Amino acid sequence: VPLQDAEAAAEELERAVQVNGMVGVQIGANVNGMNLDDPSLLPFFQVAEKLQAPIFIHPDNVPALDRIPRYNLRNFIGNPLDTTIAAASLIFGGVLERFPNLKVCLAHGGGFVPYQRGRFARGFKVREEAKLRISRPPDDYLSRMYFDTVIHFEPALRYMVETCGARRVVMGSDYPAAMGDPEPVQFVASSRLKEEEKKLVLSENARELFRLDLKT
Amino acid sequence: VPLQDAEAAAEELERAVQVNGMVGVQIGANVNGMNLDDPSLLPFFQVAEKLQAPIFIHPDNVPALDRIPRYNLRNFIGNPLDTTIAAASLIFGGVLERFPNLKVCLAHGGGFVPYQRGRFARGFKVREEAKLRISRPPDDYLSRMYFDTVIHFEPALRYMVETCGARRVVMGSDYPAAMGDPEPVQFVASSRLKEEEKKLVLSENARELFRLDLKT
């Protein structure tokens, strides 16, 4: 991706938010296979931070296809994998360190990140390559991210809320994908989460993330 | 892999267990990039089931390298990814359906499987490709698997025990890898698991899995 594309994207984001009143933007978990920590993309993230526009990251053009050609594993594994690589690139690649107020929301319950975050933390402790572009442990950057609820398993929803924080989980539907949750409100409402947690996940977090009270 | 290799591996497994008294076998999560549901590997799994020899699956030769070249993500993401593909191949590829008494243990807390198992279940429900080789939902096969504790995050350990079952989690160290757990007993013992769960994870499950009471 040539530099001017990221700058054009940043300009379009600015127009969408300031002229058209959009509350945020969705991007792919990679740009034609290029990870999100590529320096050419910095202008985009800079403008997103300035606008306080949340970025929703959804998989696209997933990796490892040679190993997941069958049984639709391309979706079941490839999609959360792509999101995981995006999150790790933003964390270890220093994007979240450089833009501390960037608001990032990960699709599908954050891919594989919430469950294996201890592996990221352990890696930062024992492997020098993990410290190339960041000064603090990965959990410090991870704790600023948001996660949608499209995880299809109630204990995983509770785990997400327990470990990422009730203020970091936002109801998602993945509509109209077949792999989405056809009853996303019910999924949260019927869970064993506390009532105040359900309220946050179902409405308050989105109001704050998308700054809905400041609009209209 | 030519057929005779899997047959040679099966013969060696038989010798190791019956002549040398080994309690099980460790294999890679793939064979030179070939997934574990390849029909050429069936003779190996058949003998492992017959011998009641547990198979420990550890990543090796990980996929998606083009997307994870930096920050040691090759290990942090690639390793659990490889294990995840192995588990999904055994499940969706019908290996566990064909060999119902096969005992499989997954490294590193089962990779990404325990957290995203709902996605597997949803996929089986809505995507025909997921039903090509299995007759029952993926959870039915997943519930027979074992998981080691090398997850580096106490809430993830509790989540694993809650969702996979206290009888399915076995203490692991990953010794001598830098990414291993240098205090694997302490990790479990100091967790918020119940005392009876700790006892299972730290000793009883391994005794049963490796049939230690029948040896010596």
Side-chain angles (χ1 to χ4, degrees):
Chain A
V1 170
L3 186 58
Q4 63 267 30
D5 282 10
E7 285 179 347
E11 270 175 43
E12 177 60 11
L13 175 60
E14 192 146 23
R15 189 187 68 82
V17 170
Q18 294 191 327
V19 179
N20 291 1
M22 298 290 154
V23 295
V25 61
Q26 172 174 324
I27 64 173
N30 64 82
V31 181
N32 297 325
M34 184 178 80
N35 281 332
L36 299 184
D37 61 331
D38 193 276
S40 70
L41 300 175
L42 289 172
F44 176 78
F45 293 116
Q46 186 170 29
V47 166
E49 185 189 51
K50 185 192 78 181
L51 296 170
Q52 301 181 55
I55 300 172
F56 181 68
I57 298 181
H58 191 283
D60 174 44
N61 182 22
V62 310
L65 290 181
D66 56 318
R67 286 286 304 281
I68 47 177
R70 280 180 287 277
Y71 323 126
N72 202 31
L73 298 185
R74 178 193 177 113
N75 177 306
F76 310 161
I77 293 177
N79 275 17
L81 167 64
D82 198 23
T83 303
T84 302
I85 294 173
S89 297
L90 293 176
I91 292 170
F92 289 102
V95 178
L96 295 177
E97 173 150 318
R98 187 154 177 162
F99 303 115
N101 296 312
L102 202 60
K103 291 184 192 311
V104 170
C105 182
L106 303 176
H108 311 126
F112 305 130
V113 175
Y115 184 60
Q116 287 284 353
R117 63 189 289 176
R119 194 166 183 85
F120 288 180
R122 174 77 188 161
F124 182 78
K125 214 169 158 183
V126 300
R127 299 293 294 255
E128 286 307 312
E129 310 98 292
K131 295 173 207 170
L132 281 176
R133 293 203 198 165
I134 53 175
S135 59
R136 297 200 307 277
D139 276 336
D140 282 25
Y141 310 102
L142 185 52
S143 66
R144 296 184 209 152
M145 289 181 162
Y146 291 79
F147 305 84
D148 85 8
T149 57
V150 184
I151 191 80
H152 302 294
F153 188 47
E154 193 269 349
L157 171 66
R158 276 189 284 114
Y159 171 80
M160 202 192 317
V161 167
E162 178 193 347
T163 58
C164 303
R167 292 190 178 276
R168 295 288 159 176
V169 179
V170 182
M171 193 207 75
S173 65
D174 214 359
Y175 181 84
M179 285 297 291
D181 188 338
E183 297 288 353
V185 175
Q186 183 61 11
F187 177 60
V188 177
S190 66
S191 75
R192 285 165 55 196
L193 291 179
K194 293 175 191 143
E195 286 310 311
E196 59 266 33
E197 292 169 334
K198 292 180 185 175
K199 205 173 161 187
L200 286 166
V201 172
L202 287 172
S203 65
E204 287 178 27
N205 292 342
R207 293 190 80 81
E208 194 183 313
L209 180 60
F210 298 122
R211 305 169 75 224
L212 296 183
D213 295 329
L214 305 176
K215 306 273 172 184
T216 71
Chain B
V1 170
L3 185 58
Q4 63 268 30
D5 283 9
E7 286 180 345
E11 270 175 43
E12 176 61 12
L13 175 59
E14 192 146 22
R15 191 188 68 83
V17 170
Q18 294 191 327
V19 179
N20 292 0
M22 298 290 154
V23 295
V25 61
Q26 173 174 325
I27 64 172
N30 65 82
V31 181
N32 297 325
M34 183 177 81
N35 282 332
L36 299 184
D37 60 332
D38 193 275
S40 70
L41 300 175
L42 289 173
F44 176 79
F45 292 116
Q46 187 170 28
V47 167
E49 185 189 50
K50 186 192 76 180
L51 295 170
Q52 302 182 54
I55 299 172
F56 181 68
I57 297 182
H58 191 282
D60 175 44
N61 182 20
V62 310
L65 290 181
D66 56 317
R67 287 286 303 282
I68 48 177
R70 279 180 288 277
Y71 322 127
N72 203 31
L73 298 184
R74 178 193 177 113
N75 177 307
F76 310 162
I77 292 177
N79 276 15
L81 168 64
D82 198 24
T83 303
T84 302
I85 294 173
S89 297
L90 293 176
I91 292 171
F92 289 102
V95 179
L96 295 177
E97 173 150 318
R98 188 154 177 162
F99 303 114
N101 296 311
L102 202 60
K103 292 185 191 309
V104 170
C105 182
L106 303 176
H108 311 127
F112 306 130
V113 175
Y115 184 60
Q116 288 283 353
R117 63 189 289 175
R119 194 165 184 86
F120 289 179
R122 173 78 188 163
F124 182 78
K125 214 168 160 183
V126 301
R127 299 292 294 257
E128 286 307 312
E129 310 99 291
K131 295 173 207 171
L132 281 176
R133 294 204 198 165
I134 53 174
S135 60
R136 296 201 307 277
D139 276 335
D140 281 26
Y141 310 101
L142 185 52
S143 65
R144 298 184 209 153
M145 289 182 162
Y146 292 79
F147 305 84
D148 85 9
T149 57
V150 185
I151 192 80
H152 303 294
F153 188 46
E154 193 269 349
L157 171 66
R158 276 189 285 115
Y159 171 80
M160 202 192 315
V161 168
E162 178 193 348
T163 58
C164 303
R167 292 190 179 276
R168 294 288 160 177
V169 179
V170 182
M171 192 207 75
S173 65
D174 214 357
Y175 180 85
M179 286 296 291
D181 188 336
E183 297 289 351
V185 175
Q186 182 62 11
F187 177 60
V188 176
S190 67
S191 75
R192 286 164 55 196
L193 291 179
K194 293 175 191 144
E195 286 311 311
E196 59 265 35
E197 292 170 334
K198 292 180 186 175
K199 204 173 162 188
L200 287 165
V201 172
L202 286 173
S203 65
E204 288 178 26
N205 292 342
R207 293 190 78 81
E208 195 183 314
L209 180 59
F210 299 122
R211 304 169 77 221
L212 297 183
D213 294 331
L214 307 175
K215 305 276 172 182
T216 73

